[in-house]
Amino acid sequence: MGNWELSDQVNFRSKQLLQGGKNIVGLMAGLNGDPILGIDDKIEDLHYKNNNNSNEVQGLNLTLARPKSKAILRKGILPFLLPNQSDDISHLALDIGGSLIKLIYFSRHEDQSVEDKRKKTVKERLGISNGNRRSYPVLGGRLHFVKFETSKLNECLDFISSKQLHCGRFDSHHWNSETPANENAVIKATGGGAYKFADLFKERLGVSIEKEDEMDCLVAGANFLLKAIRHEAFTHMEGHKEFVQIDHNDLYPYLLVNIGSGVSIIKVDGDGKFQRVSGTNVGGGTYWGLGRLLTKCNSFDELLELSQRGDNGTIDMLVGDIYGGMDYSKIGLSASTIASSFGKAISDKKELEDYRPEDISLSLLRMISYNIGQISYLNALRFGLKRIFFGGFFIRGHAYTMDTISFAVQFWSQGEAQAMFLRHEGYLGALGAFMSYQKHGLDDLMVHHLVERFPMGAPYTGGRIHGPPLGDLNEKISWMEKFVQKGTEITAPVPMAPPGTTGLGGFEVPSSRGATLRSDASALNVGVLHLVPTLEVFPLLTNPKMYEPNTIDLSDHKELEYWFTILSEHLPDLVDKAVASEGGIDDAKRRGDAFARAFSAHLARLMEEPAAYGNLGSANLSLYKKLTFRCLCTYNLLNRLMEEPAAYGKLGLANLLELREECLREFQFHDAYRSIKQRENEASLAVLPDLLLELDHMDEETRLLTLIEGVLAANIFDWGSRACVDLYHKGTIIEIYRMSRNKMQRPWRANDFDIFKERMLGSEGKKPKPHKRALLFVDNSGADVVLGMLPLARELLRRGTEVVLVANSLPALNDVTAMELPDIVAEAAKHCDILRRAAEAGGLLVDAMTNTLDGLKGNSSSVPLMVVENGCGSPCIDLRQVSSELAAAAKNADLVILEGMG
Ligand SMILES: Nc1ncnc2c1ncn2[C@@H]1O[C@H](COP(=O)(O)OP(=O)(O)O)[C@@H](O)[C@H]1O
Ligand SMILES: CC(C)(COP(=O)(O)O)[C@@H](O)C(=O)NCCC(=O)O
Ligand SMILES: [Mn+2]
């Protein structure tokens, strides 16, 4: 037990920091960024030292439940981690516009990767220079996107304050949450409000606003998004959304049209190279302001919702109204084209009350969207630009708005120019402000460093803030419980009906199949962005640009139906397993319930509008076998989906499966299949010696074929697979395995065994050189890895090939993880000299085998067997985003064996 007293020189930046009181769970860092106390440190006692004549606290006494020698206390200003923060939140930037405040903040995960001795040895063997995080300019963590109405600035300030977002900081060189904030803390902000509200920020939060130019920020944000986020941009024509893959080398020049309160039109020629070429005062503020006056609506969303039931023909003067129902075809105008917005109101003897608010809203929306589209086109024409990207929250992911703008651009340019929209539409300025903290940090990030995730609340709120921020797990669960009713609301379909065009120059009114607008459609297009600077593109991909991890397109309704049914049906079973994995206690049941609600909400939301989740690619065939689950029906939802046109873009199963794993993790189910995996590993390890004996009695050629058949056979041991579960009732693992192996007779669908055999064994008496290094991607636990892949690894090792076993970083279904694998190998090595020597040479046995290894140390002539993590936490691997360890290991590999993992 140690007892320290901090120096009197310790300062506290904000009185709010003290509110943590005894509940403070950790002090993160000292002056030099050295950790002082971790969140795991138990505070036995704490009290503040006050200056007699002021309330200002000057120091504190701490008693910690750990030895003094472990900690160094330094003088410094200590950023606190309050109990309601689950993360160490490090930074924040704002865009305070005429209508909305956009806030982006970064939270850093505690680094959970355990650098044990084993992992270090493997890294050394692979020649990875201590994969040091500090060599990356940006720390891993998450970017969150939040918005508030500017008129409710106080809510925003409360949010910042409750999450203590203004405490972490960048220093001049590093993005470093461990650097203490100083008394002159600054927040980067852009937009007019950065000027208007600077004093208020100083007063309320004690921070200064560092102003960043709005246009600079818009451009920086747009460039970043277009380069770093996969499928950021999409087209939207006649109700059909399609993601566009932007070629980074062919991005400039383009026209950026930001539709906020007003509209800025910017020609972008490169990073930081741009010119604001035009603008218009008829923008989002105009629609919302004028719309409110004319319809008495209380919110923007209400106004937009009204438009969906509107018929603008009652107010707008159409060409047909002027031409007696006829087209004016000579100049290309159909009778239904709007000749004059609101034009009918001049001749009618009607007052405002005589018009339906629905019609007024639609008329206004069309007038403004069309006008902006037209001005944008004219500017594109002026500078010969073909691509126009639209941003700003006026768009709000609203199908009809986008269709109208697209139509205008298409119509006036006669198809020459194209309107594109951005998923993070409203956050361009805020992102730019965020990036301005450090010019060589965020903007160096590339697509493969970013992983997009949709947190549990997304289907309900679309990422909007309702009430105080959710802090701990318990709050999350309560929130799920509270919102369970809301869950039914989200199944209401979003009106996405394509407006039919009527020949030249006009639309019909949007058909109104749904009456309500989802709480916030646009925000759901924005997940939380995980920054993972250690991820890399797998270096052996021949053509990363062409690589597509998903193999089946779910826009095929049959596929879609199949997968949604499977996932919904499996949910109760998964919850049972998850709860059991945590000992079945009440707390686990409650979490299980909340997980089920959250994931069902995601499923329901996805079925409504798959494209809401951005690009979800397509599904994966190998998962058919993986997910043959029990029945429970969600046909009502499916039926609705079947009714909707395939206008929602693509939907991918791999991403959906990952979302499910993430959702489990969110409710702290870190490994639902833990005990199942253990049981199967043990059962398989028990029969491994028999199998190895059998193999060793075969001649080389038979053995090689048997090994490959064995890999195929063992891959059926796949949890969740109905067939697999049934099999378990029919015999022991080794019996099932042998039986399955016998069924794996050639010819196979892909049947290149002879080529492989020749490469391995040679022909006409010539012995080929063994492979230098083989990467073996392993799948599942139990028989799959132990009876399938390990014997194959052993065969390669026997031939003098280095073997790297590649496994998942995080648990997903019953997939073995890189953390679990060394123990399995160690156990297997007890029965096999080849594996033992190789595992020892590879540094895998450092602590697992110390007893059995006595006397066997130091056989340096063995080729090593190693384990690396793949960087993935999903049942399907995406080779565009793998761990840096795997990327390093791949560089010397001349054989890659992929088994399972999609
Ligand atoms: N919830 C909302 N409240 C107010 N306006 C909204 C909302 N959602 C979308 N909008 C539209 O977005 C516009 C603001 O867009 P934004 O890009 O944030 O501009 P600004 O920077 O001027 O605030 C509003 O004028 C309105 O047309
Ligand atoms: C003044 C502004 C840059 C402010 O940005 P906003 O808050 O609208 O996002 C913008 O409203 C604008 O470009 N207005 C159009 C002014 C014009 O060029 O006519
Ligand atoms: Mn703005």
Side-chain angles (χ1 to χ4, degrees):
M1 185 94 50
N3 191 345
W4 299 280
E5 190 172 297
L6 285 186
S7 149
D8 279 348
Q9 289 164 23
V10 170
N11 296 307
F12 294 91
R13 240 171 4 92
S14 158
K15 295 192 181 68
Q16 277 164 331
L17 294 180
L18 306 180
Q19 287 165 3
K22 275 209 168 188
N23 293 326
I24 289 169
V25 291
L27 307 171
M28 295 312 292
L31 254 191
N32 301 338
D34 301 341
I36 292 178
L37 310 174
I39 37 174
D40 290 327
D41 288 320
K42 268 220 161 63
I43 297 175
E44 294 274 302
D45 188 35
L46 175 150
H47 59 266
Y48 299 106
K49 289 179 70 178
N50 275 46
N51 188 332
N52 286 343
N53 46 20
S54 84
N55 275 338
E56 195 160 320
V57 173
Q58 297 200 315
L60 50 73
N61 279 322
L62 272 176
T63 311
L64 293 186
R66 68 172 193 183
K68 188 171 183 172
S69 58
K70 271 198 179 172
I72 321 145
L73 279 190
R74 289 176 191 276
K75 298 167 193 173
I77 304 136
L78 304 173
F80 280 52
L81 193 69
L82 295 176
N84 70 341
Q85 285 177 220
S86 46
D87 295 306
D88 169 17
I89 290 164
S90 307
H91 229 289
L92 140 94
L94 297 160
D95 173 6
I96 313 177
S99 305
L100 299 170
I101 302 173
K102 280 72 63 177
L103 190 151
I104 292 181
Y105 68 93
F106 174 79
S107 65
R108 185 168 70 81
H109 291 296
E110 273 308 291
D111 190 359
Q112 282 161 352
S113 73
V114 191
E115 274 282 293
D116 62 10
K117 208 169 160 195
R118 204 153 50 192
K119 206 165 162 188
K120 274 203 183 113
T121 324
V122 170
K123 279 186 171 181
E124 270 162 31
R125 280 233 57 116
L126 290 170
I128 304 168
S129 57
N130 189 29
N132 195 334
R133 254 196 6 194
R134 300 204 184 277
S135 61
Y136 299 103
V138 179
L139 293 179
R142 293 179 287 179
L143 278 186
H144 306 252
F145 301 80
V146 182
K147 67 182 194 285
F148 300 86
E149 284 166 32
T150 306
S151 57
K152 295 178 185 156
L153 178 64
N154 278 334
E155 277 180 15
C156 174
L157 292 170
D158 289 345
F159 181 78
I160 294 172
S161 162
S162 72
K163 276 197 170 282
Q164 296 283 293
L165 297 182
H166 52 306
C167 293
R169 51 166 286 151
F170 291 99
D171 62 31
S172 52
H173 300 293
H174 296 99
W175 182 343
N176 192 349
S177 63
E178 285 165 1
T179 308
N182 63 38
E183 275 171 324
N184 304 315
V186 292
I187 300 178
K188 298 269 193 183
T190 188
Y195 295 81
K196 193 171 162 186
F197 301 117
D199 291 346
L200 199 63
F201 272 80
K202 187 81 199 170
E203 207 174 288
R204 283 279 315 270
L205 301 174
V207 293
S208 307
I209 295 282
E210 195 166 308
K211 299 162 192 82
E212 291 292 322
D213 178 73
E214 189 169 342
M215 300 300 130
D216 281 342
C217 288
L218 283 174
V219 171
N223 283 346
F224 171 76
L225 287 169
L226 289 168
K227 283 188 211 155
I229 312 286
R230 203 166 273 144
H231 299 111
E232 173 65 23
F234 58 93
T235 56
H236 206 290
M237 294 280 278
E238 300 185 19
H240 184 79
K241 182 179 202 168
E242 197 156 311
F243 293 98
V244 190
Q245 203 41 61
I246 305 290
D247 181 352
H248 297 182
N249 303 318
D250 187 27
L251 173 60
Y252 309 112
Y254 67 85
L255 196 69
L256 177 63
V257 180
N258 190 67
I259 319 177
S261 306
V263 186
S264 282
I265 302 180
I266 305 164
K267 174 176 179 273
V268 183
D269 293 300
D271 267 332
K273 275 170 65 185
F274 65 89
Q275 191 192 351
R276 184 183 187 276
V277 292
S278 191
T280 162
N281 49 354
V282 181
T286 318
Y287 174 56
W288 174 208
L290 198 50
R292 199 180 68 86
L293 281 180
L294 294 175
T295 65
K296 306 274 186 279
C297 266
N298 290 315
S299 74
F300 177 83
D301 283 3
E302 201 185 323
L303 181 66
L304 208 51
E305 215 171 286
L306 279 179
S307 77
Q308 293 174 173
R309 301 190 295 269
D311 173 5
N312 63 302
T314 62
I315 298 185
D316 288 346
M317 192 183 279
L318 307 182
V319 169
D321 295 327
I322 304 172
Y323 276 76
M326 297 202 298
D327 294 343
Y328 183 2
S329 37
K330 196 175 161 198
I331 60 165
L333 298 177
S334 75
S336 64
T337 304
I338 302 172
S340 167
S341 288
F342 286 88
K344 273 207 181 117
I346 53 169
S347 54
D348 279 348
K349 305 232 157 25
K350 287 188 192 164
E351 294 305 315
L352 183 57
E353 305 75 62
D354 301 322
Y355 291 100
R356 293 171 68 226
E358 290 86 344
D359 301 347
I360 294 174
S361 179
L362 182 61
S363 179
L364 199 53
L365 181 63
R366 293 187 69 165
M367 176 177 101
I368 289 165
S369 305
Y370 206 83
N371 187 58
I372 293 170
Q374 185 170 13
I375 293 172
S376 304
Y377 152 73
L378 287 170
N379 278 288
L381 183 71
R382 218 176 123 199
F383 298 102
L385 306 173
K386 301 243 178 298
R387 280 169 305 191
I388 313 178
F389 293 102
F390 290 87
F393 267 125
F394 167 70
I395 294 164
R396 200 203 172 285
H398 190 242
Y400 195 78
T401 307
M402 293 189 279
D403 279 349
T404 310
I405 292 172
S406 301
F407 183 87
V409 170
Q410 153 109 26
F411 177 75
W412 288 108
S413 72
Q414 297 185 326
E416 280 290 296
Q418 195 175 32
M420 283 176 276
F421 304 89
L422 303 173
R423 282 197 292 134
H424 295 78
E425 56 190 12
Y427 290 103
L428 309 186
L431 259 174
F434 193 86
M435 291 169 64
S436 71
Y437 276 112
Q438 202 208 26
K439 286 290 177 211
H440 36 269
L442 249 195
D443 46 3
D444 283 345
L445 286 179
M446 293 193 282
V447 175
H448 57 267
H449 294 137
L450 294 149
V451 182
E452 198 167 7
R453 295 267 156 72
F454 296 89
M456 111 238 161
Y460 296 97
T461 62
R464 259 178 71 181
I465 301 299
H466 290 272
L470 298 176
D472 62 11
L473 178 66
N474 193 43
E475 280 177 44
K476 272 189 188 177
I477 299 171
S478 316
W479 190 88
M480 282 313 308
E481 287 165 352
K482 199 171 105 203
F483 274 78
V484 69
Q485 247 114 24
K486 284 255 170 194
T488 50
E489 279 171 31
I490 62 159
T491 57
V494 175
M496 291 280 290
T501 53
T502 51
L504 300 167
F507 294 124
E508 294 294 359
V509 294
S511 68
S512 49
R513 268 199 278 156
T516 54
L517 189 72
R518 201 194 341 277
S519 59
D520 198 331
S522 68
L524 193 62
N525 281 335
V526 182
V528 172
L529 276 186
H530 289 229
L531 311 188
V532 195
T534 51
L535 290 179
E536 291 182 34
V537 178
F538 187 59
L540 302 181
L541 283 180
T542 311
N543 186 347
K545 276 194 182 140
M546 296 293 286
Y547 169 80
E548 168 57 59
N550 293 295
T551 49
I552 297 175
D553 193 346
L554 282 193
S555 55
D556 176 342
H557 278 199
K558 280 213 178 87
E559 305 276 11
L560 194 65
E561 183 179 320
Y562 180 83
W563 288 108
F564 274 115
T565 313
I566 292 277
L567 287 170
S568 317
E569 288 168 0
H570 180 54
L571 196 52
D573 189 47
L574 178 61
V575 172
D576 286 351
K577 284 200 176 65
V579 173
S581 78
E582 301 276 308
I585 50 172
D586 281 354
D587 166 64
K589 283 185 192 141
R590 212 172 141 233
R591 282 189 280 134
D593 209 34
F595 157 72
R597 280 169 192 171
F599 188 62
S600 312
H602 275 299
L603 279 181
R605 182 71 175 80
L606 265 163
M607 291 214 259
E608 246 181 72
E609 194 202 351
Y613 287 71
N615 173 62
L616 285 178
S618 45
N620 195 300
L621 182 59
S622 80
L623 283 152
Y624 270 106
K625 47 116 187 155
K626 197 155 209 166
L627 295 153
T628 320
F629 301 125
R630 250 178 268 150
C631 264
L632 246 188
C633 284
T634 48
Y635 286 115
N636 50 339
L637 290 167
L638 287 169
N639 286 341
R640 171 136 15 81
L641 186 68
M642 299 304 133
E643 279 164 24
E644 304 285 349
Y648 296 101
K650 291 178 188 169
L651 168 65
L653 184 72
N655 314 68
L656 190 53
L657 290 175
E658 180 155 27
L659 187 125
R660 184 175 66 171
E661 298 297 336
E662 274 296 308
C663 210
L664 278 167
R665 281 171 216 134
E666 233 182 325
F667 291 98
Q668 288 186 12
F669 292 109
H670 294 295
D671 194 354
Y673 282 75
R674 184 185 356 234
S675 48
I676 289 162
K677 289 192 287 186
Q678 246 162 29
R679 200 176 66 213
E680 297 203 356
N681 288 338
E682 279 162 22
S684 306
L685 283 162
V687 296
L688 179 68
D690 284 355
L691 174 67
L692 296 183
L693 210 65
E694 180 197 346
L695 289 165
D696 287 346
H697 279 102
M698 295 174 179
D699 63 75
E700 259 194 335
E701 202 176 317
T702 318
R703 191 168 70 224
L704 192 62
L705 180 61
T706 312
L707 280 166
I708 299 297
E709 285 169 351
V711 169
L712 299 175
N715 189 241
I716 70 162
F717 287 84
D718 199 335
W719 258 92
S721 152
R722 182 81 208 212
C724 166
V725 179
D726 287 347
L727 271 179
Y728 281 112
H729 301 298
K730 294 196 181 131
T732 65
I733 282 194
I734 191 76
E735 284 165 357
I736 301 165
Y737 167 80
R738 287 213 174 98
M739 182 190 76
S740 316
R741 199 178 63 191
N742 290 337
K743 283 191 192 165
M744 297 294 163
Q745 302 289 326
R746 297 169 80 191
W748 304 322
R749 190 194 276 201
N751 198 359
D752 293 333
F753 178 75
D754 292 334
I755 301 168
F756 180 64
K757 188 179 78 184
E758 193 176 326
R759 173 63 186 86
M760 290 287 281
L761 309 178
S763 59
E764 291 152 18
K766 265 193 266 160
K767 275 269 164 217
K769 256 174 77 179
H771 293 99
K772 256 183 70 191
R773 177 184 288 170
L775 302 184
L776 270 59
F777 288 70
V778 298
D779 189 24
N780 300 321
S781 296
D784 197 351
V785 60
V786 176
L787 306 180
M789 291 303 265
L790 278 187
L792 181 63
R794 175 177 177 261
E795 186 67 20
L796 290 160
L797 291 165
R798 199 204 299 259
R799 285 167 196 282
T801 299
E802 264 183 26
V803 173
V804 181
L805 298 172
V806 185
N808 260 16
S809 297
L810 292 173
L813 277 173
N814 65 327
D815 289 332
V816 65
T817 66
M819 282 281 273
E820 295 160 350
L821 206 42
D823 289 339
I824 296 173
V825 171
E827 211 38 56
K830 285 181 182 164
H831 310 289
C832 167
D833 278 355
I834 301 171
L835 285 176
R836 182 172 57 219
R837 278 195 296 273
E840 194 193 351
L844 287 184
L845 301 188
V846 173
D847 43 46
M849 289 274 294
T850 40
N851 298 332
T852 47
L853 270 180
D854 288 346
L856 281 166
K857 291 234 152 77
N859 190 340
S860 55
S861 62
S862 309
V863 286
L865 170 65
M866 292 164 281
V867 171
V868 303
E869 58 174 326
N870 59 14
C872 168
S874 150
C876 300
I877 194 166
D878 180 345
L879 291 169
R880 295 171 302 195
Q881 300 185 299
V882 303
S883 72
S884 49
E885 287 96 324
L886 173 52
K891 279 175 193 138
N892 289 322
D894 51 356
L895 175 63
V896 178
I897 299 180
L898 289 151
E899 183 245 343
M901 292 306 291

